[in-house]
């Protein structure tokens, strides 16, 4: 007996299977036939939901962006965490250094996928900036930050991190990266109008993140 599933449920099944296959075999190493076999559907069903394998990856990027921003928002809304620490933890909630996340990052950095890359960066910029701005406004109310331009300051910082720490936009040695992190923290403190050294936690978290990658 043929099982008829809700379109959204079927679409998520395809995405789940593709995500797993891309992780195991890589995007280029996965064929549409692999996805069809994994889900157990006909080709017509696949193309009803997605135009191509690239379209599936595009949807996975949307899914991951939404998931990461939701996680960042949860951290940002946790007022039991001090403002300064919450800023850093909110940014680090966007970390995609897990296996499937790395596959997506590798894929969107390919020259032919520049549009996907732009879309992912735009989603983070538009989603993260207002989340962090609310924390800064809270810091201003508590007398911890003094910037008169909280949204604009955060926007500049997010654009910088989205470019310099992107991993493909600028070639950085380990030494270069350490220097950029120090400079980033230094100028972030100045932009937000906080005392020097208050965001030193960022150094520790970035260093810990680098250790986890190696």
């Amino acid at each position: 007996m043929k099982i008829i599933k809700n379109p959204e449920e079927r679409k998520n099944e395809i995405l789940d299977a593709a995500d797993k296959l891309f992780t195991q075999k890589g995007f280029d190493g996965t064929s549409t036939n692999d996805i069809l076999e994994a889900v157990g559907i006909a080709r017509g069903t696949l193309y009803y939901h997605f135009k191509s394998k690239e379209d599936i990856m595009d949807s996975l990027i949307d899914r991951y962006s939404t998931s990461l921003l939701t996680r960042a928002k949860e951290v940002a809304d946790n007022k039991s965490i001090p403002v300064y620490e919450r800023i850093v933890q909110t940014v680090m909630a966007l970390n995609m250094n897990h296996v499937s996340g790395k596959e997506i990052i590798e894929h969107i950095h390919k020259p032919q996928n520049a549009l996907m890359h732009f879309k992912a960066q735009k989603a983070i910029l538009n989603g993260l900036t207002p989340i962090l701005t609310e924390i800064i406004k809270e810091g201003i109310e508590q007398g911890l930050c003094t910037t008169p331009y909280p949204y604009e300051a955060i926007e500049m910082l997010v654009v910088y991190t989205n470019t310099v720490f992107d991993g493909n936009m600028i070639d950085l040695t380990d030494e270069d990266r350490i220097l950029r992190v120090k400079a980033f923290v230094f100028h972030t403190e100045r932009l937000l109008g906080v005392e020097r050294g208050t965001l030193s936690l960022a150094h520790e978290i970035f260093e810990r993140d680098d250790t986890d990658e190696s």
Side-chain angles (χ1 to χ4, degrees):
M1 181 178 176
K2 185 177 180 180
I3 300 175
I4 300 176
K5 294 192 175 182
N6 176 283
E8 194 62 28
E9 182 182 356
R10 180 65 80 188
K11 183 176 182 179
N12 281 321
E13 278 187 351
I14 295 171
L15 287 174
D16 290 341
D19 192 8
K20 186 175 181 179
L21 286 166
F22 292 163
T23 299
Q24 294 173 342
K25 305 175 68 173
F27 178 80
D28 293 331
T30 300
S31 67
T32 51
N33 282 334
D34 291 331
I35 299 172
L36 293 176
E37 290 177 10
V39 185
I41 57 174
R43 189 171 297 275
T45 302
L46 176 68
Y47 288 123
Y48 172 79
H49 294 284
F50 301 99
K51 297 176 183 177
S52 62
K53 190 174 70 169
E54 287 72 18
D55 192 27
I56 294 174
M57 175 57 87
D58 202 14
S59 292
L60 281 174
I61 292 171
D62 284 339
R63 176 196 267 189
Y64 272 103
S65 297
T66 300
S67 175
L68 291 173
L69 288 170
T70 298
R71 191 165 64 191
K73 184 73 164 59
E74 289 173 355
V75 175
D77 288 343
N78 186 354
K79 297 194 176 184
S80 67
I81 304 173
V83 167
Y84 297 142
E85 186 175 341
R86 210 180 329 150
I87 293 170
V88 178
Q89 287 192 20
T90 298
V91 173
M92 296 312 297
L94 300 175
N95 183 15
M96 289 183 71
N97 285 326
H98 45 78
V99 180
S100 52
K102 286 180 178 178
E103 178 62 34
I104 288 179
I105 291 173
E106 181 180 326
H107 179 69
I108 65 176
H109 278 137
K110 292 180 179 178
Q112 65 268 32
N113 296 327
L115 184 59
M116 284 186 187
H117 188 193
F118 170 76
K119 183 176 180 179
Q121 286 191 313
K122 184 178 179 180
I124 295 301
L125 173 62
N126 291 336
L128 183 60
T129 302
I131 292 174
L132 287 174
T133 298
E134 289 306 309
I135 304 178
I136 301 307
K137 287 181 178 179
E138 187 181 333
I140 292 172
E141 291 174 1
Q142 295 178 18
L144 301 174
C145 307
T146 59
T147 176
Y149 305 106
Y151 184 90
E152 291 76 11
I154 289 298
E155 188 175 56
M156 284 188 277
L157 293 170
V158 173
V159 168
Y160 180 85
T161 55
N162 238 3
T163 304
V164 176
F165 298 124
D166 178 82
N168 200 53
M169 299 287 285
I170 299 176
D171 293 327
L172 296 176
T173 64
D174 290 341
E175 186 178 347
D176 289 336
R177 179 179 169 81
I178 291 172
L179 188 60
R180 293 297 196 286
V181 170
K182 289 180 179 179
F184 174 72
V185 173
F186 175 81
H187 290 295
T188 296
E189 290 174 343
R190 297 188 68 182
L191 268 175
L192 300 181
V194 303
E195 291 184 18
R196 186 172 179 181
T198 53
L199 295 179
S200 58
L201 175 66
H203 287 295
E204 300 173 18
I205 293 182
F206 270 111
E207 288 172 5
R208 189 189 317 151
D209 190 45
D210 284 341
T211 302
D212 291 341
E213 287 183 49
S214 58

Short mmCIF file of all heavy atoms in Angstrom, two decimals, residues 13-43:
data_model
loop_
_atom_site.label_atom_id
_atom_site.label_comp_id
_atom_site.label_asym_id
_atom_site.label_seq_id
_atom_site.Cartn_x
_atom_site.Cartn_y
_atom_site.Cartn_z
N GLU A 13 12.23 14.76 5.10
CA GLU A 13 12.87 13.45 4.96
C GLU A 13 13.98 13.51 3.91
O GLU A 13 15.06 12.94 4.10
CB GLU A 13 11.84 12.40 4.53
CG GLU A 13 11.02 11.83 5.66
CD GLU A 13 10.13 10.68 5.19
OE1 GLU A 13 10.03 10.46 3.97
OE2 GLU A 13 9.54 10.02 6.06
N ILE A 14 13.69 14.18 2.81
CA ILE A 14 14.68 14.33 1.74
C ILE A 14 15.89 15.12 2.25
O ILE A 14 17.04 14.76 2.01
CB ILE A 14 14.06 15.03 0.51
CG1 ILE A 14 12.96 14.14 -0.09
CG2 ILE A 14 15.13 15.34 -0.54
CD1 ILE A 14 12.13 14.83 -1.17
N LEU A 15 15.61 16.21 2.96
CA LEU A 15 16.70 17.03 3.50
C LEU A 15 17.53 16.25 4.51
O LEU A 15 18.77 16.35 4.51
CB LEU A 15 16.12 18.30 4.15
CG LEU A 15 15.58 19.36 3.20
CD1 LEU A 15 14.91 20.48 3.98
CD2 LEU A 15 16.68 19.92 2.31
N ASP A 16 16.87 15.49 5.37
CA ASP A 16 17.60 14.69 6.37
C ASP A 16 18.52 13.68 5.70
O ASP A 16 19.67 13.50 6.09
CB ASP A 16 16.61 13.96 7.29
CG ASP A 16 15.87 14.90 8.22
OD1 ASP A 16 16.34 16.03 8.43
OD2 ASP A 16 14.80 14.50 8.73
N ALA A 17 17.97 13.01 4.68
CA ALA A 17 18.76 11.99 3.97
C ALA A 17 19.93 12.64 3.23
O ALA A 17 21.06 12.13 3.26
CB ALA A 17 17.87 11.24 2.98
N ALA A 18 19.66 13.76 2.57
CA ALA A 18 20.72 14.46 1.83
C ALA A 18 21.80 14.96 2.78
O ALA A 18 23.00 14.86 2.49
CB ALA A 18 20.11 15.62 1.05
N ASP A 19 21.38 15.48 3.91
CA ASP A 19 22.33 15.99 4.90
C ASP A 19 23.28 14.87 5.34
O ASP A 19 24.50 15.04 5.42
CB ASP A 19 21.55 16.54 6.10
CG ASP A 19 22.43 17.34 7.06
OD1 ASP A 19 23.60 17.60 6.72
OD2 ASP A 19 21.94 17.71 8.13
N LYS A 20 22.71 13.71 5.61
CA LYS A 20 23.50 12.56 6.05
C LYS A 20 24.45 12.10 4.94
O LYS A 20 25.63 11.82 5.18
CB LYS A 20 22.57 11.42 6.46
CG LYS A 20 23.28 10.22 7.05
CD LYS A 20 22.27 9.18 7.54
CE LYS A 20 22.98 7.98 8.15
NZ LYS A 20 22.01 6.97 8.64
N LEU A 21 23.94 12.05 3.71
CA LEU A 21 24.76 11.60 2.58
C LEU A 21 25.87 12.59 2.26
O LEU A 21 27.00 12.19 1.97
CB LEU A 21 23.87 11.39 1.35
CG LEU A 21 22.98 10.14 1.38
CD1 LEU A 21 21.91 10.22 0.30
CD2 LEU A 21 23.84 8.88 1.19
N PHE A 22 25.55 13.88 2.30
CA PHE A 22 26.57 14.89 2.03
C PHE A 22 27.69 14.80 3.06
O PHE A 22 28.86 15.03 2.76
CB PHE A 22 25.96 16.30 2.07
CG PHE A 22 25.00 16.59 0.94
CD1 PHE A 22 24.12 17.66 1.02
CD2 PHE A 22 24.97 15.80 -0.20
CE1 PHE A 22 23.23 17.94 -0.01
CE2 PHE A 22 24.08 16.06 -1.24
CZ PHE A 22 23.21 17.14 -1.14
N THR A 23 27.31 14.46 4.30
CA THR A 23 28.30 14.32 5.36
C THR A 23 29.19 13.10 5.12
O THR A 23 30.41 13.15 5.30
CB THR A 23 27.60 14.18 6.73
OG1 THR A 23 26.82 15.35 6.98
CG2 THR A 23 28.62 14.01 7.86
N GLN A 24 28.56 12.00 4.70
CA GLN A 24 29.29 10.75 4.50
C GLN A 24 30.12 10.74 3.21
O GLN A 24 31.27 10.29 3.20
CB GLN A 24 28.30 9.58 4.46
CG GLN A 24 27.59 9.32 5.78
CD GLN A 24 26.50 8.27 5.65
OE1 GLN A 24 26.04 7.96 4.54
NE2 GLN A 24 26.07 7.71 6.77
N LYS A 25 29.54 11.25 2.13
CA LYS A 25 30.16 11.11 0.81
C LYS A 25 30.60 12.44 0.19
O LYS A 25 31.25 12.44 -0.86
CB LYS A 25 29.18 10.42 -0.15
CG LYS A 25 28.67 9.08 0.37
CD LYS A 25 27.60 8.47 -0.54
CE LYS A 25 28.18 8.05 -1.86
NZ LYS A 25 27.19 7.30 -2.69
N GLY A 26 30.23 13.53 0.84
CA GLY A 26 30.51 14.83 0.26
C GLY A 26 29.43 15.21 -0.74
O GLY A 26 28.71 14.34 -1.25
N PHE A 27 29.30 16.49 -1.01
CA PHE A 27 28.26 16.95 -1.94
C PHE A 27 28.49 16.40 -3.34
O PHE A 27 27.59 15.84 -3.96
CB PHE A 27 28.24 18.49 -1.97
CG PHE A 27 27.23 19.05 -2.94
CD1 PHE A 27 25.89 19.14 -2.58
CD2 PHE A 27 27.61 19.48 -4.20
CE1 PHE A 27 24.94 19.65 -3.47
CE2 PHE A 27 26.68 20.00 -5.09
CZ PHE A 27 25.35 20.08 -4.72
N ASP A 28 29.72 16.53 -3.83
CA ASP A 28 30.03 16.07 -5.19
C ASP A 28 29.93 14.56 -5.31
O ASP A 28 29.64 14.03 -6.39
CB ASP A 28 31.43 16.54 -5.60
CG ASP A 28 31.50 18.06 -5.75
OD1 ASP A 28 30.47 18.66 -6.09
OD2 ASP A 28 32.59 18.63 -5.52
N GLY A 29 30.20 13.85 -4.21
CA GLY A 29 30.17 12.40 -4.25
C GLY A 29 28.79 11.80 -4.07
O GLY A 29 28.61 10.57 -4.15
N THR A 30 27.81 12.64 -3.83
CA THR A 30 26.43 12.17 -3.64
C THR A 30 25.62 12.44 -4.91
O THR A 30 25.62 13.56 -5.43
CB THR A 30 25.76 12.90 -2.46
OG1 THR A 30 26.50 12.65 -1.27
CG2 THR A 30 24.33 12.42 -2.27
N SER A 31 24.95 11.42 -5.40
CA SER A 31 24.11 11.58 -6.58
C SER A 31 22.64 11.69 -6.16
O SER A 31 22.28 11.34 -5.04
CB SER A 31 24.28 10.39 -7.52
OG SER A 31 23.76 9.21 -6.91
N THR A 32 21.81 12.15 -7.08
CA THR A 32 20.38 12.20 -6.78
C THR A 32 19.84 10.79 -6.58
O THR A 32 18.92 10.58 -5.79
CB THR A 32 19.60 12.91 -7.92
OG1 THR A 32 19.95 12.31 -9.17
CG2 THR A 32 19.93 14.39 -7.95
N ASN A 33 20.43 9.82 -7.27
CA ASN A 33 20.00 8.43 -7.08
C ASN A 33 20.27 7.96 -5.65
O ASN A 33 19.47 7.20 -5.08
CB ASN A 33 20.74 7.50 -8.06
CG ASN A 33 20.15 7.56 -9.46
OD1 ASN A 33 18.97 7.88 -9.63
ND2 ASN A 33 20.96 7.26 -10.46
N ASP A 34 21.39 8.40 -5.08
CA ASP A 34 21.70 8.06 -3.69
C ASP A 34 20.59 8.57 -2.77
O ASP A 34 20.16 7.87 -1.84
CB ASP A 34 23.03 8.68 -3.26
CG ASP A 34 24.23 8.06 -3.96
OD1 ASP A 34 24.14 6.87 -4.31
OD2 ASP A 34 25.24 8.77 -4.15
N ILE A 35 20.16 9.79 -3.02
CA ILE A 35 19.12 10.39 -2.19
C ILE A 35 17.79 9.67 -2.38
O ILE A 35 17.08 9.39 -1.41
CB ILE A 35 18.97 11.90 -2.52
CG1 ILE A 35 20.29 12.63 -2.25
CG2 ILE A 35 17.84 12.52 -1.71
CD1 ILE A 35 20.32 14.07 -2.72
N LEU A 36 17.48 9.33 -3.63
CA LEU A 36 16.24 8.61 -3.93
C LEU A 36 16.20 7.28 -3.19
O LEU A 36 15.18 6.91 -2.58
CB LEU A 36 16.12 8.36 -5.44
CG LEU A 36 15.93 9.59 -6.34
CD1 LEU A 36 15.93 9.17 -7.80
CD2 LEU A 36 14.64 10.31 -6.00
N GLU A 37 17.31 6.55 -3.24
CA GLU A 37 17.38 5.24 -2.58
C GLU A 37 17.28 5.38 -1.06
O GLU A 37 16.64 4.57 -0.39
CB GLU A 37 18.68 4.54 -2.96
CG GLU A 37 18.73 4.10 -4.42
CD GLU A 37 20.07 3.47 -4.78
OE1 GLU A 37 20.88 3.21 -3.86
OE2 GLU A 37 20.31 3.25 -5.98
N ALA A 38 17.93 6.40 -0.53
CA ALA A 38 17.93 6.59 0.93
C ALA A 38 16.52 6.90 1.45
O ALA A 38 16.13 6.44 2.53
CB ALA A 38 18.88 7.72 1.31
N VAL A 39 15.77 7.67 0.69
CA VAL A 39 14.42 8.06 1.12
C VAL A 39 13.38 7.04 0.67
O VAL A 39 12.34 6.87 1.31
CB VAL A 39 14.05 9.46 0.59
CG1 VAL A 39 12.70 9.91 1.13
CG2 VAL A 39 15.12 10.48 0.97
N GLY A 40 13.68 6.35 -0.43
CA GLY A 40 12.73 5.37 -0.96
C GLY A 40 11.59 6.02 -1.72
O GLY A 40 10.42 5.66 -1.54
N ILE A 41 11.94 6.98 -2.57
CA ILE A 41 10.92 7.70 -3.34
C ILE A 41 11.28 7.68 -4.82
O ILE A 41 12.40 7.37 -5.20
CB ILE A 41 10.79 9.16 -2.88
CG1 ILE A 41 12.14 9.89 -2.97
CG2 ILE A 41 10.22 9.24 -1.47
CD1 ILE A 41 12.08 11.37 -2.66
N ALA A 42 10.30 8.04 -5.64
CA ALA A 42 10.51 8.13 -7.08
C ALA A 42 11.15 9.46 -7.43
O ALA A 42 11.07 10.43 -6.67
CB ALA A 42 9.17 7.98 -7.81
N ARG A 43 11.78 9.51 -8.58
CA ARG A 43 12.46 10.74 -9.01
C ARG A 43 11.48 11.91 -9.10
O ARG A 43 11.81 13.05 -8.76
CB ARG A 43 13.13 10.50 -10.36
CG ARG A 43 14.04 11.64 -10.81
CD ARG A 43 14.83 11.23 -12.05
NE ARG A 43 15.70 10.10 -11.76
CZ ARG A 43 16.92 10.22 -11.24
NH1 ARG A 43 17.40 11.42 -10.95
NH2 ARG A 43 17.66 9.15 -11.02
#
